[in-house]
Amino acid sequence: MRRHPEVAKPLKPEEMKSSRTVTLYFVLIVICSSEATWSRPAEPIVHPLILQEHELAGEELLRPKRAVAVGGPVAEEYTVDVEISFENVSFLESIRAHLNSLRFPVQGNGTDILSMAMTTVCTPTGNDLLCFCEKGYQWPEERCLSSLTCQEHDSALPGRYCNCLKGLPPQGPFCQLPETYITLKIKVRLNIGFQEDLENTSSALYRSYKTDLERAFRAGYRTLPGFRSVTVTQFTKGSVVVDYIVEVASAPLPGSIHKANEQVIQNLNQTYKMDYNSFQGTPSNETKFTVTPEFIFEGDNVTLECESEFVSSNTSWFYGEKRSDIQNSDKFSIHTSIINNISLVTRLTIFNFTQHDAGLYGCNVTLDIFEYGTVRKLDVTPIRILAKEERKVVCDNNPISLNCCSENIANWSRIEWKQEGKINIEGQTSKDEVHSTGRGRGDTSVNTGTPETDLESSCSTYTLKADGTQCPSGSSGTTVIYTCEFVSVYGAKGSKNIAVTFTSVGDNSSYKGEVPEAPRHVMEVSTVQSTTGNRLETSKSQEQQANLTITPDPISVSEGQSFSITCLSDVSSFDEVYWNTSAGIKIHPRFYTMRRYRDGAESVLTVKTSTREWNGTYHCIFRYKNSYSIATKDVTVHPLPLESDIMMDPLEASGLCTSSHQFKCCIEENDGEEYIVTFHVDSSSFPAEREVIGKQACYTYSLPGKLPSRCPKDIDVFCHFTNAANSSVRSPSMKLTLVPGKNITCQDPIIGIGEPGKVIQKLCQFAGVSRSPGQTIGGTVTYKCVGSQWKEETRACISAPINGLLQLAKALIKSPSQDQKLPKYLRDLSVSTGKEEQDIRSSPGSLGAIISILDLLSTVPTQVNSEMMRDILATINVILDKSTLNSWEKLLQQQSNQSSQFLQSVERFSKALELGDSTPPFLFHPNVQMKSMVIKRGHAQMYQQKFVFTDSDLWGDVAIDECQLGSLQPDSSIVTVAFPTLKAILAQDGQRKTPSNSLVMTTTVSHNIVKPFRISMTFKNNHRSGGKPQCVFWNFSLANNTGGWDSSGCTVEDDGRDNRDRVFCKCNHLTSFSILMSPDSPDPGSLLKILLDIISYIGLGFSIVSLAACLVVEAMVWKSVTKNRTSYMRHICIVNIALCLLIADIWFIVAGAIHDGHYPLNETACVAATFFIHFFYLSVFFWMLTLGLMLFYRLIFILHDASKSTQKAIAFSLGYGCPLIISSITVGVTQPQEVYMRKNACWLNWEDTRALLAFAIPALIIVVVNVSITVVVITKILRPSVGDKPGKQEKSSLFQISKSIGVLTPLLGLTWGFGLATVIQGSNAVFHIIFTLLNAFQGLFILLFGCLWDQKVQEALLHKFSLSRWSSQHSKSTSLGSSTPVFSMSSPISRRFNNLFGKTGTYNVSTPETTSSSVENSSSAYSLLN
C-alpha cells in the first residue's frame, strides 16, 4: 500500500475569494525511480509540492515507497504529490491531454518517472470548496467518515468510500486507487465416491461437505497476504471434484499457495481423502495481450505486451506450435516490470519483423498452481508500392511528375526520394523539403527535385524540370533511377524504382514513335470543392483510357439522413472497383454496387444512415492492372442526434391534474454541439432548458398544471432537435395521463403516481438504479402499482460498460471503415465481457445487449481471422456459463427469439472464418470449443473432430467423408463449434420434446455447398431410458422465425457399436444439430418395442385370416340372415367393416415392405400406401359409426321406418364419402411441401405438420359417439320387463350388460379409445400393449362377435350342413344326445351362448319365423345385437 504524505494546509475558501488569481487547483501523483548510494536510511519528507500557475518549478519533496538498503546503489521508488493552482479552467483539460499523451517510463538523468496521474480536483462553488476524485480514484474510508461529503454530488453509501469532499483534508491523504480483491479459482479432488445429494445445494450432505471443507480451506489460506474469504461453489463428478474460490487483497507470493494447500490437508478430516497433487488453479482473469503496431508490415519493430494481475518472477515467451522458448538476442528483447506492486507487465520486442517471423506468439506467467497467459497469431503484410516503372522524358524544360503510391494503409512517418545516375537533372527545392536525397555515381552530382507528399493518402509526387543544358546530345538516352521509399513509424520500409530515360530535344527523332506520357486528368463536374490533385492522378496505358464522371450536386446531409454518389466510367473493362476515404481506408463493399454496360460501367455508393464518420472526401477508384482512375467527392455531414439515441423521461406516467410535470430528453454530449430543442405538447411547442449532466446534455421542460375540469386527459409529448443545417429529428412520444387523484395509492418521487394495477416503464438511466456518476446505463425497468407501493416487475438494465459497447456496435455497422475497426472492437468486447461477468449473471438486460452486439457484428465481416474468432469465443464462453442460465431464462421470457438470434450470429461468424495457409486453430473453453480444417487442392481427407467437455460429462464427434469434401472449393474452411450448455437455453420445439443432455454442434463451410451434403455425428446419450432419441437441427424459420427443433433430413442410424450411451446421426445438410428424446415412442431395440412388434405381426396374421373367413361366412349365409330390413343393414355394415379392415391390413404389409425404417425405398409407393391406409382405416371407423347410428335409430325411433335404399345411400355416403374427403384434403395440403409422411415410416406425419390429427380427431369423435350410443343401448336393455321377478331381473341385467360389452366394444371401436392414452407424452407401456393387442386382433373379434355369435348365422350354417352329415363326421351313435348339432338350442355350446345373450328354452331350427310389424319393430334392436 502506498504511503501518503502530510499535506500542507490548503487555501481556505475565504482566502480564495480574496485572491482573484486562484480559482481552482488539483493534485498530481508522480511515482519516480532514482538510483543512488545511501549511507543511512532515508527519512520520508511528508510535505507536498504546491505550485502556482505562473511557477514553472519548485522544491521537489519525495517520500520513499520501499525500505532502503544500506550501502550500494539501489533503485528506489518514490511517490510525489504535487498541488497546482490556477484560474484558467481550460488549463485543466490541456494538462489532462498532456498526461494522456505521455509514454512511461520517462527516462531522466539518474531518475525515471514511472507514472503520473491526476487524482484530485478542487473547485470553488459558492462558499464551499468541492474536491472531486478523478475517474478510478476515491477518497479513503477514514476521510469519508471524518470529513463533510458532497451529498448531492456523491452516489457512494454513507460511511464508505466517497468521491467528493467539502474542502481538502489538511493532513492528507488525497484520493487513492480503490482497494481491490483478487479472486483465485481452484479445484481439488476427493478420492471418494460421488453421491447425487452433492448436486443438491439444500441437502444435508452438501451442507456438511461445504462446512467441513470451508473450515479447512480457511485454516490453510488465511496465511496468504490479504486473505479475505473462501467459498465452495460446487461439487462435480470425477470422484468428487471440489470447486472453490479464494479472495485475497494482493497477489500471493511464490510458494505461498503450496504451503497453504499443505495446511488445508492437515486441517481436513482424513476421511475426505483429499489428493494433494490434484490442486489445480483456474485463471479468473483475462491476461491482457496487446500488439503494437496492430497491422504489421515487413521491417517493423513489433512489441508484444502481456499484463497480469499476478506478480511472479516466472515469466516466459514462446513461439510456434512447438512453443519454443524465446530468449534475449539481437532479434528479440524481453523486458519485465512490476507496476504499483499490483500488476506485472512483460514486453517482447521483435526487431525487423519478416515473413519468417510470422506465427504464434505467447506469454506465460506461472505462480505455483496457476498458469496465466495467452497466445496470439501474428501475420505480416509485405509493403507494395505502385508506380509506373519506366518513363521517357524530353529535356524541354517542362515539369515532369513521377507518381508513387502505397497500396497499404499504414502510419507512414515519411516518404523519401533518391536518385542514382550518370547525369544530374537540376531542380528547385521547396523550403520545407526534408525528404529528398540523392547520390551521384561517376561524374554526377546530387540531384534534388520537388516532392509533394501526402502521408494521409499514402501518395507522393516528385516533380522534375530538365532543359537542354542538362541533357547534352552526347548523353541523350541516359537512364536515371529514381527511388521513392516509404518509411513507417515502426521502422518498416518499402521502395519502388522508376527508370527515367532523358532525351535531348535535338535527338528526339531517335525515339520516333515514343510518345511521352501525358498526365491523365479525371473529369470532375461538381459545384462544391471536389478536386483531383496530382497526388491522386495515376496514368493509364494508352490502350485503356477511361474518364470518370461523378455526381455533380453538392452533398450536404445531417446525421441519420441518406445520400448516394454515382461514379460513371466510359470504359467497361477493369479489374476492380472500390471506394476509399481520404485517409486511404477502403469502404466496406456493403455500401456500394457496381454494374457494367457495353460502353461503360457504374458504381454507386449508398449510405442509408449517415454518421459523422462519413464527413470527408471519398475516392471512386477503377483499377486496370497497375493503372488507377480516380474521382473524388466531398461529403458534409452535420451533427444531429439519431432518434434511437434520444433518452426520454418519463416514457409513460400518470400525474395529478393540478400538478406540474417535468419532461426530459438527453443525448450524448459531443464537442459542445448545440441544437435548438423544443417540446411539443399537443399542437403547441415550448423552448427547452439545457443542462449538462456528466457526459450527457439534457433538455427539460416543465408542463404547468391543468384545470380539474380538463381531467382525465391523455397527453402526448415529444422533443424536437434542430441543427445548424436546419435539419431536425423528433423523439418518440412520451405518454402522460392526467388523473383527478381519487384512486391514487402509489406515489414515488422518481416513479410517479399510479392507481392499483397500473404498469409503467422507465429507462434505467432515470429510474434510480445505482450507477457511477457520469455513466450512462441502458435498458428499462417495469413497475406495477400493488397496494400502496410500486413493485419492480422486471429489470432489463444494461451496465454502463456494456451499454457503451452496444452504442459503439450500432455506430460501427454504419461506419465506412467497419472492417478495420472490427478486430479491435471484438478484442475490447471479450475483455469487457470478462470484467462484467458478475453483472451478466444477474442482469438479463446486459446479457441481451451482448447478444444484440454479436448479432450486429456478425453481419459486418466478409472474412474473420483466427484472432477475431478467439475473441468471439471468449465472449461466448462467458455468456454460456451455467451461472448465466437464470439470466437466460428471464431474457427468453421477455424476448423469445434471443437464443435463436445468438446461434444464428455464431453461424455467421464461423461461416466467415478464413484460415488461408495458417494452421487451423483449436479453441477450447469450458462452455464452447471450436475446431476447423482447410480444404487443400488435391489433398482431400476426411474431416473428423471430437469434442469433450469433462465438466459437463458430455462428448460428441462430427465426420464428413472425402467424397463430400471433394465437391468443395479449394481453400474452403470447415468449422465446427460445440456448446455443452446451449441445449438448456434454446427453446423447446412445438412438440414439447425435451432436449437430451447432449451437445449442440454447429458445422459450417465458408463457401457454398452442393446439396444434399451428408454429415455424420455422434452424441453422448445421458438419457438411456428416456425414450426414443431423435436427431434434430435448429430451424431458424419455425415458430414465426423464433426457431425450433426440426428433424427434416436427419435420421438415427446404427453404426455397429454399442448404442446404449451414444446416438449416431446422419443428416443431409449443415447447421446446428442435437438430439431430442421422444417419450411417446418406444426405444428401438427395447423389450417393449420387440413385444409390440410380436403382438402386431401375430395379430395381423390372425386378423387377415379371420376377416377373409368372415367375408366367406357372410357370403354363404347372406340370403338366410337378411330377410328383414334391420338385419340387412346390420350385415351390410359388418361386411364393409371387415372388407375395409382387410384392405387396410394388406396396405400395412405393403408399407412395411417399401420402408426400411430410415427412408422409403420408393417414395411414390410410400405416399400411395399412406393414403390408402389412412382412407381404409377411416372407413372402418365411419362404418362403425354407421352401425352405431343404425342401432340407435332402430332402438329409439321404433315407429319410424326408412326405406332400404335410403338407409343404404346414407350408409355408403357416410362409410366411404367422408373418409375420401378427409384423406384427399390431407394429402393435397401436405404432400406439396413434402411433409405428408413420417421420415421413418409410411404413415401420417406428426412432427412437422400434425397430419396425424386428420386420422386421430375423426376416430376419437366416433369413439365418443359410439360410447354414448352404448350407454343409451345399455340403459334401454336394463329396463325390467313387467312381471319379472327381482332375482330374474338382476340375473337378466348381468347377461344383457355382458352381451352389450362383449359385442359393442369391438364392433363400435371402443378399443381404439386406448389410442388416446398412447398419444400423451410419457404414457405407461401398459397402454401401448393394450392398444396394440386389441387393435391387432380386431379382425378376429369381428369374426367371433360380429359373425359367429349371431344366432341367425348359426341357424343358416346348420341349414348348409345337414344333421346327418354333421353326425357322421363326429359319431355314429344313434343317441339323441350324441347327435345334437353344436349350434342347436339343446347342445351345451348353444345353451351357453344363448344364456349369455339372455335367451331360454328350445328353438326348432326348421320352424319358420313368425313375424308381425309390431314384433319386428320391438325386436329390431335385439336382432341387431345378434
Side-chain angles (χ1 to χ4, degrees):
M1 179 66 69
R2 176 171 60 84
R3 294 178 54 203
H4 286 270
E6 295 293 333
V7 183
K9 185 177 180 180
L11 293 174
K12 296 181 179 180
E14 56 271 18
E15 295 172 343
M16 296 177 63
K17 290 177 65 177
S18 62
S19 177
R20 293 184 298 176
T21 61
V22 179
T23 60
L24 182 146
Y25 67 95
F26 64 90
V27 180
L28 288 177
I29 178 172
V30 183
I31 300 176
C32 56
S33 174
S34 177
E35 187 174 292
T37 300
W38 297 86
S39 60
R40 60 182 177 83
E43 295 182 1
I45 302 172
V46 293
H47 298 288
L49 176 64
I50 303 178
L51 302 178
Q52 296 299 323
E53 182 182 0
H54 59 275
E55 294 176 320
L56 300 178
E59 180 186 2
E60 295 189 350
L61 304 175
L62 310 176
R63 64 180 186 276
K65 289 191 62 179
R66 298 177 179 173
V68 180
V70 178
V74 292
E76 185 68 28
E77 284 189 11
Y78 294 90
T79 298
V80 183
D81 287 340
V82 181
E83 295 182 32
I84 302 178
S85 59
F86 52 88
E87 65 177 356
N88 189 352
V89 179
S90 63
F91 184 50
L92 180 65
E93 292 302 325
S94 63
I95 292 182
R96 277 200 183 105
H98 182 67
L99 290 177
N100 292 333
S101 66
L102 293 179
R103 297 178 64 88
F104 296 98
V106 178
Q107 297 180 348
N109 185 14
T111 301
D112 296 341
I113 299 178
L114 304 181
S115 66
M116 185 183 298
M118 187 181 299
T119 65
T120 313
V121 176
C122 297
T123 307
T125 303
N127 294 325
D128 294 326
L129 179 67
L130 303 184
C131 294
F132 294 88
C133 292
E134 288 290 274
K135 184 177 181 182
Y137 290 83
Q138 59 190 18
W139 289 105
E141 181 178 358
E142 61 272 16
R143 280 294 153 223
C144 297
L145 292 172
S146 60
S147 305
L148 293 175
T149 61
C150 320
Q151 299 293 340
E152 65 273 17
H153 298 280
D154 211 321
S155 62
L157 295 174
R160 301 296 298 172
Y161 297 99
C162 51
N163 294 317
C164 177
L165 292 182
K166 289 186 177 179
L168 191 65
Q171 302 302 322
F174 298 119
C175 296
Q176 296 177 320
L177 289 170
E179 185 178 6
T180 59
Y181 289 95
I182 297 175
T183 300
L184 307 177
K185 293 184 179 180
I186 309 177
K187 292 184 178 182
V188 66
R189 185 176 66 253
L190 309 180
N191 291 324
I192 55 178
F194 187 86
Q195 302 181 50
E196 297 299 328
D197 281 351
L198 290 177
E199 295 180 340
N200 182 6
T201 56
S202 60
S203 68
L205 183 66
Y206 180 94
R207 293 197 299 269
S208 174
Y209 271 50
K210 180 179 173 70
T211 301
D212 292 347
L213 289 167
E214 287 182 350
R215 184 184 298 114
F217 288 145
R218 278 193 294 270
Y221 292 113
R222 66 186 178 188
T223 60
L224 298 179
F227 171 75
R228 184 185 184 190
S229 65
V230 61
T231 306
V232 174
T233 56
Q234 67 174 354
F235 300 98
T236 55
K237 296 179 180 178
S239 294
V240 175
V241 178
V242 184
D243 292 77
Y244 61 101
I245 58 175
V246 180
E247 286 191 343
V248 291
S250 60
L253 299 175
S256 60
I257 296 291
H258 288 312
K259 294 179 181 179
N261 291 341
E262 293 174 356
Q263 292 295 321
V264 170
I265 297 290
Q266 294 175 8
N267 285 277
L268 182 65
N269 192 312
Q270 297 304 311
T271 58
Y272 282 98
K273 298 180 180 180
M274 181 175 287
D275 187 351
Y276 175 78
N277 296 320
S278 67
F279 281 98
Q280 178 184 352
T282 302
S284 59
N285 70 327
E286 291 287 343
T287 302
K288 185 178 179 181
F289 194 106
T290 57
V291 180
T292 307
E294 186 175 357
F295 299 100
I296 303 172
F297 296 100
E298 277 192 293
D300 275 336
N301 295 328
V302 179
T303 300
L304 313 182
E305 183 176 280
C306 264
E307 182 177 348
S308 173
E309 64 184 11
F310 282 84
V311 179
S312 171
S313 59
N314 191 358
T315 61
S316 62
W317 287 87
F318 58 86
Y319 168 73
E321 296 287 350
K322 297 182 180 179
R323 302 172 75 92
S324 303
D325 285 339
I326 298 176
Q327 303 295 335
N328 278 312
S329 63
D330 294 338
K331 184 69 176 178
F332 303 104
S333 174
I334 299 176
H335 175 74
T336 301
S337 60
I338 298 172
I339 300 177
N340 295 337
N341 283 331
I342 60 173
S343 64
L344 178 143
V345 176
T346 176
R347 296 183 182 89
L348 169 66
T349 302
I350 308 169
F351 301 103
N352 191 22
F353 202 95
T354 63
Q355 291 285 356
H356 178 72
D357 299 319
L360 292 177
Y361 287 83
C363 65
N364 270 338
V365 179
T366 304
L367 178 66
D368 293 353
I369 61 174
F370 293 93
E371 182 174 330
Y372 299 89
T374 187
V375 177
R376 184 69 58 85
K377 185 177 183 298
L378 302 186
D379 296 316
V380 62
T381 302
I383 298 177
R384 293 187 58 191
I385 308 300
L386 305 177
K388 186 174 179 61
E389 297 181 3
E390 295 182 357
R391 295 288 302 273
K392 295 181 177 62
V393 177
V394 178
C395 299
D396 56 2
N397 205 31
N398 286 323
I400 301 298
S401 297
L402 306 182
N403 297 317
C404 189
C405 291
S406 169
E407 192 179 71
N408 310 99
I409 305 302
N411 186 11
W412 302 114
S413 63
R414 64 186 186 275
I415 304 175
E416 296 181 347
W417 285 84
K418 304 174 184 179
Q419 81 165 67
E420 185 175 356
K422 293 182 178 181
I423 63 174
N424 178 36
I425 306 299
E426 291 289 344
Q428 293 182 354
T429 304
S430 58
K431 289 192 300 181
D432 58 348
E433 173 53 42
V434 294
H435 301 309
S436 177
T437 62
R439 65 179 182 266
R441 186 176 62 188
D443 297 331
T444 60
S445 60
V446 177
N447 164 69
T448 58
T450 307
E452 296 177 4
T453 299
D454 186 347
L455 295 177
E456 289 188 357
S457 64
S458 301
C459 287
S460 181
T461 299
Y462 194 74
T463 304
L464 299 173
K465 282 188 178 183
D467 56 25
T469 61
Q470 295 171 308
C471 300
S473 59
S475 63
S476 182
T478 299
T479 299
V480 178
I481 304 300
Y482 290 85
T483 302
C484 66
E485 184 177 62
F486 286 71
V487 182
S488 77
V489 173
Y490 301 98
K493 295 181 179 181
S495 61
K496 190 76 170 179
N497 291 335
I498 303 176
V500 180
T501 302
F502 292 94
T503 306
S504 63
V505 177
D507 294 336
N508 193 30
S509 58
S510 63
Y511 291 88
K512 186 176 181 181
E514 297 288 344
V515 180
E517 180 185 24
R520 179 172 174 274
H521 298 275
V522 178
M523 292 179 61
E524 170 62 63
V525 184
S526 178
T527 58
V528 298
Q529 182 183 356
S530 183
T531 62
T532 305
N534 289 334
R535 62 184 177 86
L536 292 174
E537 293 178 14
T538 304
S539 61
K540 194 170 185 170
S541 57
Q542 289 182 342
E543 65 275 12
Q544 187 63 32
Q545 294 292 330
N547 291 310
L548 301 185
T549 305
I550 204 162
T551 300
D553 298 327
I555 297 180
S556 177
V557 296
S558 294
E559 284 189 274
Q561 297 177 347
S562 63
F563 69 87
S564 63
I565 307 174
T566 302
C567 183
L568 300 174
S569 169
D570 60 355
V571 176
S572 62
S573 298
F574 49 85
D575 296 328
E576 184 184 14
V577 175
Y578 59 94
W579 293 73
N580 268 9
T581 66
S582 57
I585 299 174
K586 276 191 175 182
I587 294 176
H588 196 284
R590 69 158 66 183
F591 292 109
Y592 58 85
T593 60
M594 190 276 297
R595 296 177 61 185
R596 295 177 188 263
Y597 304 100
R598 176 184 297 179
D599 55 352
E602 176 189 71
S603 181
V604 180
L605 174 69
T606 303
V607 179
K608 295 182 179 178
T609 306
S610 58
T611 62
R612 297 191 197 188
E613 285 193 66
W614 288 97
N615 189 69
T617 303
Y618 295 89
H619 310 305
C620 168
I621 304 172
F622 282 70
R623 182 181 67 84
Y624 179 75
K625 295 183 179 178
N626 289 328
S627 297
Y628 295 81
S629 300
I630 305 174
T632 65
K633 188 68 181 178
D634 288 338
V635 175
T636 303
V637 180
H638 300 278
L640 185 68
L642 301 178
E643 180 182 335
S644 59
D645 294 335
I646 302 174
M647 304 183 71
M648 306 168 299
D649 185 55
L651 299 177
E652 53 181 325
S654 296
L656 296 175
C657 301
T658 55
S659 301
S660 61
H661 307 282
Q662 188 178 68
F663 296 90
K664 181 188 297 184
C665 289
C666 296
I667 59 173
E668 290 297 316
E669 174 74 356
N670 290 314
D671 302 327
E673 184 69 32
E674 294 189 8
Y675 305 96
I676 299 175
V677 181
T678 55
F679 279 84
H680 292 249
V681 182
D682 294 334
S683 58
S684 303
S685 62
F686 305 92
E689 295 183 2
R690 183 178 186 268
E691 62 175 336
V692 177
I693 305 175
K695 296 181 180 180
Q696 285 190 321
C698 292
Y699 299 85
T700 59
Y701 167 70
S702 183
L703 178 69
K706 302 288 183 180
L707 296 176
S709 59
R710 303 183 62 182
C711 286
K713 183 180 181 181
D714 293 332
I715 298 177
D716 286 345
V717 181
F718 65 87
C719 51
H720 190 271
F721 289 76
T722 304
N723 65 1
N726 205 30
S727 297
S728 61
V729 63
R730 56 161 288 180
S731 71
S733 294
M734 294 171 273
K735 308 289 184 181
L736 174 64
T737 301
L738 296 177
V739 295
K742 297 179 180 179
N743 300 321
I744 299 300
T745 59
C746 296
Q747 293 187 3
D748 185 271
I750 296 177
I751 304 173
I753 65 173
E755 301 174 349
K758 176 70 174 179
V759 177
I760 67 168
Q761 265 193 346
K762 286 188 75 71
L763 294 180
C764 296
Q765 180 76 6
F766 308 117
V769 178
S770 61
R771 58 186 175 88
S772 299
Q775 288 188 334
T776 303
I777 60 177
T780 59
V781 184
T782 302
Y783 297 97
K784 183 176 182 179
C785 180
V786 179
S788 60
Q789 290 185 336
W790 288 104
K791 299 292 184 181
E792 187 177 295
E793 289 276 284
T794 59
R795 176 182 288 207
C797 294
I798 307 171
S799 67
I802 295 179
N803 184 58
L805 287 172
L806 178 60
Q807 303 309 316
L808 288 176
K810 292 178 179 178
L812 187 143
I813 63 171
K814 303 182 183 78
S815 170
S817 55
Q818 51 191 250
D819 266 350
Q820 289 78 11
K821 293 183 176 182
L822 184 60
K824 183 179 184 302
Y825 182 93
L826 290 174
R827 192 152 53 249
D828 294 341
L829 176 64
S830 66
V831 173
S832 295
T833 304
K835 292 179 179 179
E836 297 296 315
E837 183 175 359
Q838 188 62 39
D839 181 71
I840 294 170
R841 292 176 182 175
S842 59
S843 172
S846 294
L847 175 63
I850 293 179
I851 295 170
S852 298
I853 290 172
L854 292 175
D855 183 55
L856 289 171
L857 300 183
S858 65
T859 63
V860 171
T862 53
Q863 290 184 357
V864 172
N865 58 34
S866 300
E867 280 306 310
M868 294 164 66
M869 202 68 189
R870 193 185 307 275
D871 293 327
I872 292 167
L873 293 191
T875 301
I876 292 173
N877 178 61
V878 174
I879 66 176
L880 289 186
D881 191 77
K882 292 179 181 178
S883 59
T884 65
L885 294 181
N886 186 47
S887 283
W888 273 102
E889 182 180 356
K890 295 178 181 177
L891 176 65
L892 294 177
Q893 291 174 357
Q894 302 167 12
Q895 304 177 57
S896 60
N897 68 328
Q898 288 288 77
S899 58
S900 184
Q901 179 179 307
F902 162 73
L903 184 57
Q904 196 164 27
S905 63
V906 175
E907 288 195 15
R908 283 196 290 260
F909 276 124
S910 59
K911 192 171 183 180
L913 179 61
E914 290 288 346
L915 300 174
D917 296 330
S918 61
T919 303
F922 294 164
L923 304 179
F924 298 91
H925 293 277
N927 304 308
V928 62
Q929 293 180 13
M930 188 198 84
K931 295 184 179 181
S932 57
M933 187 180 81
V934 179
I935 305 300
K936 297 297 183 182
R937 188 185 302 274
H939 295 85
Q941 57 180 345
M942 183 176 184
Y943 176 73
Q944 190 165 13
Q945 305 290 358
K946 187 176 181 101
F947 300 90
V948 179
F949 294 87
T950 54
D951 291 344
S952 304
D953 192 25
L954 291 173
W955 59 264
D957 59 53
V958 58
I960 304 175
D961 58 36
E962 297 91 334
C963 297
Q964 296 295 313
L965 300 182
S967 64
L968 298 178
Q969 299 179 26
D971 298 326
S972 297
S973 300
I974 304 177
V975 181
T976 301
V977 185
F979 314 90
T981 56
L982 191 57
K983 66 187 183 305
I985 295 172
L986 287 171
Q988 295 181 350
D989 69 344
Q991 309 162 64
R992 298 288 182 186
K993 292 183 179 178
T994 56
S996 69
N997 186 22
S998 67
L999 296 180
V1000 175
M1001 294 191 293
T1002 297
T1003 301
T1004 57
V1005 175
S1006 58
H1007 294 88
N1008 293 331
I1009 60 175
V1010 178
K1011 295 183 179 180
F1013 189 87
R1014 293 187 299 275
I1015 181 174
S1016 304
M1017 291 159 291
T1018 305
F1019 297 88
K1020 181 180 181 183
N1021 181 15
N1022 288 338
H1023 289 257
R1024 302 180 185 178
S1025 59
K1028 177 183 176 182
Q1030 186 179 13
C1031 300
V1032 292
F1033 73 95
W1034 189 256
N1035 189 337
F1036 296 101
S1037 61
L1038 293 181
N1040 293 325
N1041 295 317
T1042 60
W1045 292 114
D1046 191 352
S1047 62
S1048 301
C1050 294
T1051 58
V1052 178
E1053 302 281 341
D1054 184 1
D1055 61 351
R1057 295 180 289 179
D1058 185 1
N1059 291 330
R1060 285 177 295 180
D1061 66 339
R1062 69 184 65 219
V1063 179
F1064 183 65
C1065 299
K1066 282 190 175 181
C1067 298
N1068 60 12
H1069 52 81
L1070 297 181
T1071 184
S1072 301
F1073 301 95
S1074 188
I1075 58 174
L1076 295 178
M1077 306 309 295
S1078 178
D1080 53 301
S1081 300
D1083 189 15
S1086 65
L1087 180 62
L1088 175 60
K1089 185 67 168 63
I1090 295 173
L1091 179 61
L1092 294 178
D1093 287 343
I1094 294 174
I1095 295 173
S1096 296
Y1097 289 126
I1098 294 177
L1100 193 64
F1102 272 103
S1103 287
I1104 291 176
V1105 174
S1106 300
L1107 291 170
C1110 180
L1111 294 176
V1112 171
V1113 170
E1114 287 288 338
M1116 293 174 60
V1117 302
W1118 183 260
K1119 292 185 179 180
S1120 302
V1121 297
T1122 57
K1123 293 184 178 180
N1124 63 61
R1125 198 172 299 166
T1126 302
S1127 297
Y1128 177 81
M1129 290 306 302
R1130 176 187 179 278
H1131 284 279
I1132 284 286
C1133 292
I1134 292 297
V1135 168
N1136 281 281
I1137 288 172
L1139 180 63
C1140 291
L1141 191 57
L1142 176 62
I1143 298 175
D1145 288 344
I1146 293 173
W1147 274 108
F1148 187 86
I1149 296 175
V1150 174
I1154 62 177
H1155 206 292
D1156 67 351
H1158 300 300
Y1159 54 87
L1161 302 178
N1162 187 310
E1163 187 169 352
T1164 303
C1166 191
V1167 172
T1170 303
F1171 174 80
F1172 285 114
I1173 292 173
H1174 184 203
F1175 171 72
F1176 284 109
Y1177 270 133
L1178 276 180
S1179 297
V1180 169
F1181 275 99
F1182 276 94
W1183 276 109
M1184 288 180 179
L1185 176 64
T1186 303
L1187 183 61
L1189 293 176
M1190 189 64 63
L1191 169 65
F1192 183 79
Y1193 169 74
R1194 299 306 299 167
L1195 185 65
I1196 303 301
F1197 300 99
I1198 298 176
L1199 301 179
H1200 187 276
D1201 190 17
S1203 64
K1204 185 184 296 185
S1205 59
T1206 301
Q1207 293 183 31
K1208 283 175 62 177
I1210 295 174
F1212 276 90
S1213 298
L1214 193 61
Y1216 290 114
C1218 291
L1220 182 61
I1221 293 173
I1222 295 173
S1223 56
S1224 298
I1225 292 175
T1226 303
V1227 69
V1229 171
T1230 58
Q1231 180 55 26
Q1233 285 78 34
E1234 298 184 353
V1235 286
Y1236 177 54
M1237 304 176 299
R1238 296 188 179 186
K1239 304 297 183 295
N1240 57 351
C1242 295
W1243 185 226
L1244 296 174
N1245 189 299
W1246 173 253
E1247 290 82 4
D1248 301 314
T1249 58
R1250 303 293 193 271
L1252 183 60
L1253 293 177
F1255 172 77
I1257 292 178
L1260 294 178
I1261 292 176
I1262 291 173
V1263 168
V1264 172
V1265 172
N1266 282 348
V1267 167
S1268 303
I1269 292 174
T1270 303
V1271 172
V1272 174
V1273 171
I1274 292 176
T1275 303
K1276 204 74 174 175
I1277 292 176
L1278 287 178
R1279 290 176 181 174
S1281 303
V1282 178
D1284 286 346
K1285 296 179 179 180
K1288 292 182 179 180
Q1289 288 180 356
E1290 182 178 354
K1291 182 178 180 180
S1292 176
S1293 296
L1294 292 174
F1295 281 131
Q1296 290 168 345
I1297 292 173
S1298 300
K1299 178 178 179 181
S1300 298
I1301 295 175
V1303 175
L1304 291 178
T1305 299
L1307 292 183
L1308 302 183
L1310 294 182
T1311 52
W1312 288 84
F1314 285 101
L1316 179 63
T1318 64
V1319 176
I1320 302 174
Q1321 281 194 3
S1323 57
N1324 196 290
V1326 175
F1327 292 106
H1328 287 270
I1329 295 174
I1330 294 176
F1331 177 67
T1332 303
L1333 186 65
L1334 293 177
N1335 285 282
F1337 287 89
Q1338 187 88 344
L1340 181 61
F1341 296 157
I1342 290 176
L1343 174 65
L1344 293 177
F1345 298 113
C1347 190
L1348 296 183
W1349 274 26
D1350 191 334
Q1351 184 66 39
K1352 293 183 179 180
V1353 173
Q1354 297 175 22
E1355 295 170 1
L1357 289 175
L1358 289 177
H1359 280 294
K1360 291 291 182 181
F1361 302 98
S1362 63
L1363 184 61
S1364 59
R1365 184 178 178 184
W1366 181 272
S1367 299
S1368 65
Q1369 292 177 356
H1370 292 78
S1371 176
K1372 294 184 179 180
S1373 173
T1374 59
S1375 172
L1376 178 61
S1378 62
S1379 61
T1380 303
V1382 69
F1383 289 111
S1384 70
M1385 291 302 297
S1386 58
S1387 68
I1389 296 178
S1390 182
R1391 282 199 302 272
R1392 287 177 182 271
F1393 286 170
N1394 290 324
N1395 286 338
L1396 179 62
F1397 286 95
K1399 289 190 175 183
T1400 58
T1402 61
Y1403 189 84
N1404 192 340
V1405 177
S1406 61
T1407 304
E1409 182 181 11
T1410 58
T1411 62
S1412 67
S1413 176
S1414 62
V1415 173
E1416 181 181 343
N1417 288 336
S1418 62
S1419 62
S1420 59
Y1422 192 83
S1423 300
L1424 197 57
L1425 290 176
N1426 287 322

